[in-house]
Amino acid sequence: MKKLTTALFFISFFFYQLSAQDIESWISSKKPLLFEKLYVHVDRELYAPGDKIWMKVYQVNGITHQLNSNFRNVYVQLISEEGKVVQDIYLLTIKGIADGEFSTDSLPKGLYTIRAYTKYLENYGESALFHKKIWIVNPAGLMEPSLSAAKDERDMDVSFLPEGGNLVANALNSVAFKAIDEKGKGIYVSGNVLDDDGDTITSFNVSYKGMGKFNLMPEEGLNYYATIDQFPGRKFTLPKALPNGLCINYEPGEESLMFEISTNMKLGTFPEFYLLASHKGVVLFYKKVEMTEYVQAVKVMRNLFPTGISKITLLDLQVNPLAERLIFVDDEKADLLQLHVNKEPTGARSEVNIDVAPVLEPGDSITSSLSVSVVNKNYLSSGEYQQNIKSYLLIDSDLKGVIESPADLFVKDEFHSPAEKLDLLMMVHGWRTYLWDDVEKRKAPSLDDWNDAGINIRGWVKRILWKQPLPGAEVSLDYVSKNFQIDQTTTNSAGRFSFNSVYFIDSLNIMLNAKTKNGTKNTEILLDQIMPKDSVLPLKLLNWNSFNIDLNPNFAREDYFRRMRELEFNPGKGTILLDEVEIIEERRRKAFSRSFGEYPWADKTFLIKPADMKFRYVIDYLQYNLPSMVVSGDFVTVANKPVTFMLDGVELDDYDLRTIRMEEIDLIDYVRPRLGAFSKTLIGITVSPSIIAIYQKTPFKPVIDYTFSKGRLRPELKGFHRPTAFYSPKYTPENINSPRPDLRPTLFWEPNLKLENGKANIGFFASDAVADYVIVVEGITKKGNICYGTTGFSVDKK
């Protein structure tokens, strides 16, 4: 580690040569950290039963914030306020991103937690996982008057937190405090600090969201306590002052950062120590300091620190910590995404266009996709998002515990700058709650945890009679409805078998067959839980890692009006009373809710129409629509290369392809070979340059007999979630005056907005709801810079 000799300098301190072998060894012993983070962009925070919860997952490197470049499993849960997992989905991130949604149709009202994690992150405890609170509320119930329970002053609390970790006697200490109510929300208080004799030493008052600070020079041997003006019956004891130690008093500046170090004035000696700065476990620099006064200032250039949270530690010469302080260094640059609404205000049902332009450093770009939400602000708890990608990756994910309104920390208001808010947070929430301290202490997870992609089907085979594990048994994985074998393996010495990294969507009926070495079926197959997960989680852990949000006072009125309008139009809860209708032709039911199948990135998707029935067999249809397809004997090639055929997600032999009739088929995907395509181990198929995936109109759903059968097991497995497309209506002169009410809270949701020539345009139509709307666009650049942009517009009447 190079010592800092030019950019760091000290006031009232002379330099001299010294040996730093002990601290060098200590720094060298630190292991390099490997970590990841998950962030979930959720379209809004308040929902009524029946609404969709739209989500986009970002999986990034925990150090650089660059999107992970591989395939990874992500597990997302929706958890009730009782701690019960009411819904869960499996997502496969491709190059760090994935999207999905939860349905609220059958869910009772209440406060829910969205929890997302990977197998790797589970090793670091609950604080390393993603959490976000949302409300699902029946607005009709909110319209009823209710009596607020009287607040008990015993439910409020005030914590006093000395800067650096400890109070030091006869030294200038800076003390932070946080006052909270029974829900953990910051409240305003004022008060006084008194000594044992009841004399007032200093006064204090809250500056921002229950937080504030004051200076105190405690005398050795005296005790101190605080009284609160708003709660005259309460007293809070301050920490005991230590006779020896060091205090840190930090003041940020535009170009440099100032650290004032204080010690006990009555000691008569001046300590020597190391001042060390680190960021996410990486040592930025260190310097040996010999104090020449009881108070000594240290000045550090600001540009030595990366954006985000860094830790300042004072160590004695034996590298024992004396004091510690988190600081937040912001680059104070504007948001990297600039949004411009082309017309504002907007009339009901009129078209809205928004230009998106990134402002990036030379050499940086947005190679992935952005996520976009456009939401009625009454469906956000405070009219703005309480959390965003910037606040989560820079604050929430690095600190343990809950933070109130983290997104507001980066917004300048009438009384506070972002730097002032963030520094108070570092003094209060950053007091010994730095997540990276835990990451350093924990043993690094195995590579199996890191390289987690696809579904692992594992279990063991035993003998029927003696119940002993059966080594060397032949186990096959088959598709239950057809005679197709997906894969085959042999049990190990403990009778265990494993089919790793199998990929399928929704649910799949499979059949496991096991035979002994001699070919007999006198075996029993026991299957492990496919993706182990908890069904009930401790509320204490959930509440300690995600802050409760309040209901927007305008939400009840807004959504109540929305529901009444919809019921007036559809008194039968979603149906319209019509006169008798004569059915002329029954429309064919679609097997898929959107115009692609298992491969949304397919190069061509063929939707089978009635006119295509002129072809008797699928092979004939494909030869006509793919001119490069050649059928020669038992082999089929496309562009002179072999091709893999899939039927409803299972590999199909070329010969069997010839027997599939056109009337059985709904959709066909054609996927050309490409860099980074799925491997054999991931999707459980043979490697080939291209894929033709065929989907039946009504996928075969066999009736499974779950009675015991020797050597056979037929479970139905849950696969990866298939995201549905967000519906956004288009208004034309023909339908703009439709009487059907349009009161969508989320006007627009796009999880995969792509830039073209460095820019993008968002187009959608406003609803009938006269309201203010919030637009948020989020993403990550190639270099790991956080992309965030927000603006708003209003919708007036027609």
Side-chain angles (χ1 to χ4, degrees):
M1 177 62 65
K2 295 178 63 178
K3 299 178 188 177
L4 189 64
T5 58
T6 56
L8 174 66
F9 60 93
F10 297 84
I11 302 172
S12 304
F13 176 80
F14 56 91
F15 295 88
Y16 61 96
Q17 193 66 29
L18 55 105
S19 170
Q21 183 60 42
D22 289 340
I23 193 169
E24 288 280 9
S25 301
W26 180 76
I27 292 172
S28 299
S29 68
K30 284 180 167 290
K31 62 183 180 182
L33 299 182
L34 181 65
F35 196 63
E36 69 181 13
K37 294 181 180 180
L38 278 181
Y39 168 71
V40 183
H41 181 182
V42 182
D43 69 314
R44 49 190 159 108
E45 296 170 339
L46 309 180
Y47 300 84
D51 292 344
K52 292 277 190 183
I53 302 171
W54 301 97
M55 300 174 292
K56 164 75 173 282
V57 172
Y58 292 89
Q59 184 190 33
V60 302
N61 182 296
I63 309 291
T64 65
H65 290 160
Q66 291 174 298
L67 290 168
N68 285 345
S69 59
N70 51 10
F71 304 113
R72 298 292 302 284
N73 292 345
V74 173
Y75 313 107
V76 189
Q77 299 171 322
L78 186 62
I79 305 171
S80 71
E81 54 190 331
E82 292 79 29
K84 182 181 178 181
V85 178
V86 295
Q87 287 187 39
D88 63 287
I89 57 175
Y90 312 144
L91 298 176
L92 182 71
T93 59
I94 301 175
K95 296 183 178 180
I97 59 174
D99 63 281
E101 73 285 333
F102 285 127
S103 171
T104 64
D105 289 336
S106 59
L107 298 179
K109 67 178 182 180
L111 185 65
Y112 289 79
T113 302
I114 295 174
R115 180 178 184 256
Y117 62 96
T118 62
K119 184 181 178 183
Y120 181 88
L121 281 177
E122 282 189 295
N123 292 280
Y124 294 98
E126 196 69 25
S127 295
L129 314 186
F130 174 86
H131 303 83
K132 179 180 177 63
K133 286 284 197 301
I134 63 164
W135 274 98
I136 300 176
V137 183
N138 184 346
L142 293 178
M143 300 299 289
E144 300 173 1
S146 61
L147 297 176
S148 299
K151 292 186 178 180
D152 187 341
E153 69 175 45
R154 291 173 297 180
D155 292 333
M156 66 83 62
D157 190 30
V158 184
S159 300
F160 293 89
L161 310 161
E163 187 173 13
N166 296 295
L167 278 181
V168 178
N170 304 309
L172 183 62
N173 295 259
S174 179
V175 181
F177 66 92
K178 177 70 181 284
I180 58 174
D181 63 13
E182 71 281 0
K183 295 182 179 179
K185 188 175 182 179
I187 57 175
Y188 178 84
V189 299
S190 58
N192 298 287
V193 175
L194 294 80
D195 61 15
D196 286 332
D197 298 326
D199 295 330
T200 299
I201 306 302
T202 188
S203 60
F204 58 86
N205 62 278
V206 161
S207 175
Y208 172 74
K209 291 192 182 296
M211 297 183 289
K213 63 179 180 178
F214 57 87
N215 291 326
L216 179 68
M217 184 175 284
E219 294 185 32
E220 194 168 345
L222 292 183
N223 298 311
Y224 297 87
Y225 62 92
T227 59
I228 306 298
D229 298 335
Q230 290 76 14
F231 302 92
R234 301 291 302 275
K235 287 184 179 181
F236 296 88
T237 303
L238 270 64
K240 186 78 173 177
L242 302 178
N244 196 1
L246 293 175
C247 304
I248 304 176
N249 191 344
Y250 167 65
E251 289 293 336
E254 292 184 3
E255 296 183 357
S256 59
L257 311 179
M258 186 70 72
F259 299 91
E260 195 173 75
I261 314 299
S262 306
T263 189
N264 191 331
M265 294 183 180
K266 294 184 178 182
L267 288 180
T269 59
F270 302 113
E272 294 181 2
F273 60 90
Y274 295 114
L275 184 145
L276 181 141
S278 60
H279 179 78
K280 297 181 179 179
V282 178
V283 174
L284 302 175
F285 60 81
Y286 75 91
K287 189 67 180 181
K288 186 177 181 182
V289 179
E290 181 183 2
M291 294 186 69
T292 59
E293 300 288 344
Y294 293 110
V295 179
Q296 190 154 325
V298 179
K299 191 176 183 181
V300 183
M301 299 306 295
R302 185 188 186 97
N303 58 13
L304 294 171
F305 293 86
T307 298
I309 298 175
S310 293
K311 183 169 67 173
I312 303 298
T313 307
L314 304 184
L315 302 163
D316 65 18
L317 298 187
Q318 288 73 45
V319 295
N320 298 309
L322 301 173
E324 194 171 84
R325 212 255 200 219
L326 297 186
I327 66 172
F328 189 93
V329 179
D330 196 356
D331 57 17
E332 297 184 348
K333 294 180 181 178
D335 294 334
L336 295 186
L337 295 176
Q338 294 183 347
L339 311 182
H340 175 69
V341 182
N342 292 337
K343 186 178 70 173
E344 211 278 330
T346 299
R349 301 195 180 187
S350 62
E351 188 171 9
V352 182
N353 281 282
I354 303 167
D355 293 324
V356 180
V359 183
L360 306 178
E361 298 175 353
D364 202 2
S365 60
I366 300 176
T367 57
S368 182
S369 61
L370 303 172
S371 52
V372 184
S373 59
V374 183
V375 176
N376 184 328
K377 68 185 303 180
N378 292 325
Y379 288 78
L380 301 173
S381 60
S382 64
E384 302 289 341
Y385 284 88
Q386 297 294 291
Q387 182 187 74
N388 58 44
I389 191 169
K390 182 177 181 180
S391 68
Y392 183 79
L393 292 181
L394 294 181
I395 297 290
D396 301 58
S397 59
D398 282 352
L399 295 179
K400 297 188 293 182
V402 296
I403 300 172
E404 183 180 355
S405 304
D408 186 63
L409 294 165
F410 295 92
V411 179
K412 178 178 174 58
D413 59 38
E414 184 180 357
F415 303 103
H416 308 93
S417 67
E420 292 170 333
K421 297 178 183 180
L422 288 163
D423 194 53
L424 278 174
L425 182 77
M426 294 300 101
M427 293 183 69
V428 175
H429 287 269
W431 204 77
R432 299 180 178 175
T433 64
Y434 195 36
L435 179 69
W436 290 92
D437 291 338
D438 287 354
V439 175
E440 284 190 89
K441 295 174 185 176
R442 289 180 182 268
K443 181 181 178 181
S446 67
L447 288 178
D448 287 341
D449 287 343
W450 185 262
N451 297 319
D452 177 36
I455 295 171
N456 298 325
I457 302 173
R458 297 171 178 172
W460 58 289
V461 180
K462 67 177 184 178
R463 301 178 187 274
I464 292 179
L465 294 180
W466 294 281
K467 307 296 183 182
Q468 296 175 336
L470 187 62
E474 182 182 291
V475 183
S476 64
L477 175 63
D478 305 303
Y479 185 46
V480 75
S481 65
K482 303 286 183 180
N483 189 23
F484 298 146
Q485 187 175 99
I486 300 173
D487 205 351
Q488 186 174 353
T489 189
T490 303
T491 58
N492 63 15
S493 58
R496 300 281 302 171
F497 68 87
S498 178
F499 298 101
N500 295 329
S501 300
V502 179
Y503 175 79
F504 59 93
I505 294 177
D506 296 333
S507 61
L508 178 68
N509 290 112
I510 64 166
M511 180 165 57
L512 291 164
N513 292 294
K515 297 180 181 179
T516 66
K517 290 180 180 179
N518 298 327
T520 67
K521 293 184 178 181
N522 294 322
T523 64
E524 183 178 354
I525 304 170
L526 302 176
L527 198 62
D528 296 346
Q529 187 176 351
I530 297 300
M531 293 187 178
K533 59 184 184 299
D534 296 322
S535 58
V536 178
L537 293 161
L539 287 177
K540 184 177 180 181
L541 281 179
L542 293 176
N543 293 332
W544 197 69
N545 286 285
S546 53
F547 197 86
N548 290 350
I549 58 174
D550 295 326
L551 286 170
N552 190 318
N554 296 320
F555 168 75
R557 174 187 55 80
E558 185 85 25
D559 208 73
Y560 182 79
F561 174 74
R562 167 191 168 198
R563 299 295 170 178
M564 290 302 100
R565 285 283 307 276
E566 290 173 348
L567 285 175
E568 288 175 7
F569 185 74
N570 290 344
K573 294 184 180 180
T575 61
I576 303 175
L577 297 177
L578 301 174
D579 294 333
E580 183 178 355
V581 177
E582 180 182 358
I583 299 177
I584 304 298
E585 179 182 358
E586 184 176 354
R587 182 177 294 274
R588 181 165 56 95
R589 183 180 66 84
K590 288 290 182 184
F592 297 91
S593 59
R594 55 183 183 178
S595 59
F596 51 77
E598 309 281 354
Y599 302 90
W601 56 88
D603 296 281
K604 290 185 179 180
T605 296
F606 302 104
L607 292 169
I608 306 304
K609 303 177 179 63
D612 297 325
M613 294 302 115
K614 63 184 179 182
F615 300 100
R616 186 174 183 182
Y617 294 102
V618 169
I619 189 73
D620 302 321
Y621 173 83
L622 289 173
Q623 280 186 279
Y624 180 82
N625 287 279
L626 291 175
S628 61
M629 174 183 280
V630 175
V631 180
S632 177
D634 292 336
F635 299 99
V636 179
T637 60
V638 175
N640 297 319
K641 294 182 179 179
V643 60
T644 294
F645 292 96
M646 308 287 292
L647 179 65
D648 292 334
V650 178
E651 187 177 355
L652 187 66
D653 292 335
D654 293 0
Y655 178 80
D656 293 318
L657 171 70
R658 303 163 194 263
T659 66
I660 302 175
R661 296 176 178 270
M662 284 296 294
E663 60 264 25
E664 301 173 5
I665 303 306
D666 187 83
L667 188 75
I668 301 175
D669 278 338
Y670 171 57
V671 185
R672 291 193 184 96
R674 63 191 65 206
L675 183 63
F678 292 114
S679 67
K680 176 184 187 305
T681 57
L682 183 59
I683 61 174
I685 63 171
T686 57
V687 177
S688 71
S690 57
I691 296 172
I692 292 179
I694 303 168
Y695 309 95
Q696 300 178 86
K697 289 180 182 177
T698 306
F700 181 75
K701 193 78 172 180
V703 177
I704 304 297
D705 180 9
Y706 287 101
T707 57
F708 175 75
S709 177
K710 288 195 302 182
R712 176 167 293 175
L713 189 66
R714 291 180 288 192
E716 181 178 1
L717 305 183
K718 179 179 178 179
F720 290 100
H721 175 72
R722 181 201 300 274
T724 58
F726 178 83
Y727 172 71
S728 183
K730 294 183 179 180
Y731 287 111
T732 64
E734 288 76 21
N735 68 357
I736 194 168
N737 294 317
S738 168
R740 178 185 293 274
D742 178 4
L743 298 168
R744 294 165 287 137
T746 300
L747 290 186
F748 185 76
W749 168 256
E750 175 52 71
N752 294 299
L753 178 69
K754 288 283 190 178
L755 299 183
E756 295 183 7
N757 300 320
K759 296 182 179 180
N761 179 265
I762 304 165
F764 56 90
F765 286 83
S767 68
D768 297 335
V770 176
D772 295 327
Y773 290 84
V774 178
I775 308 164
V776 168
V777 184
E778 299 183 333
I780 297 289
T781 74
K782 181 180 179 181
K783 291 185 176 181
N785 290 310
I786 298 169
C787 289
Y788 178 76
T790 184
T791 188
F793 65 92
S794 300
V795 172
D796 293 339
K797 294 181 179 180
K798 291 182 181 179

